[in-house]
Amino acid sequence: MENGMFSIITDKDGNPISKEEFEKMNRESLVLLLKEYIKKMTYLYEEDKLALSYIAYSLLRSFKESEQ
């Protein structure tokens, strides 16, 4: 991933996440970050946002199950 991409990735408080921080995030944190971005996607239809949120939640659940 390009370094420039990391200048637009922020936490839920709007603070930039560095490439190093991003690479250290566990899968749960990455999925939660994705869910926050999905909520912000005002250009998507609501049903698309719901579908993406469901996919993110399903990924999180499968990651947790595989870790057990």
Side-chain angles (χ1 to χ4, degrees):
M1 200 178 271
E2 295 178 23
N3 285 341
M5 179 61 72
F6 292 95
S7 64
I8 62 169
I9 299 175
T10 61
D11 62 19
K12 63 182 176 182
D13 297 322
N15 301 314
I17 296 175
S18 70
K19 180 179 179 185
E20 293 76 22
E21 289 174 306
F22 185 81
E23 290 172 349
K24 289 179 185 176
M25 294 176 92
N26 63 30
R27 289 186 271 188
E28 181 175 354
S29 297
L30 290 170
V31 172
L32 294 174
L33 181 64
L34 173 61
K35 289 187 77 160
E36 287 299 317
Y37 270 89
I38 291 168
K39 286 180 192 175
K40 291 188 216 177
M41 294 178 180
T42 56
Y43 52 87
L44 291 178
Y45 292 110
E46 197 60 35
E47 64 186 23
D48 294 330
K49 287 170 66 171
L50 288 171
L52 288 171
S53 293
Y54 177 77
I55 292 167
Y57 174 76
S58 295
L59 278 171
L60 180 58
R61 190 180 62 220
S62 70
F63 290 149
K64 286 183 174 185
E65 289 172 358
S66 69
E67 290 174 353
Q68 294 177 358

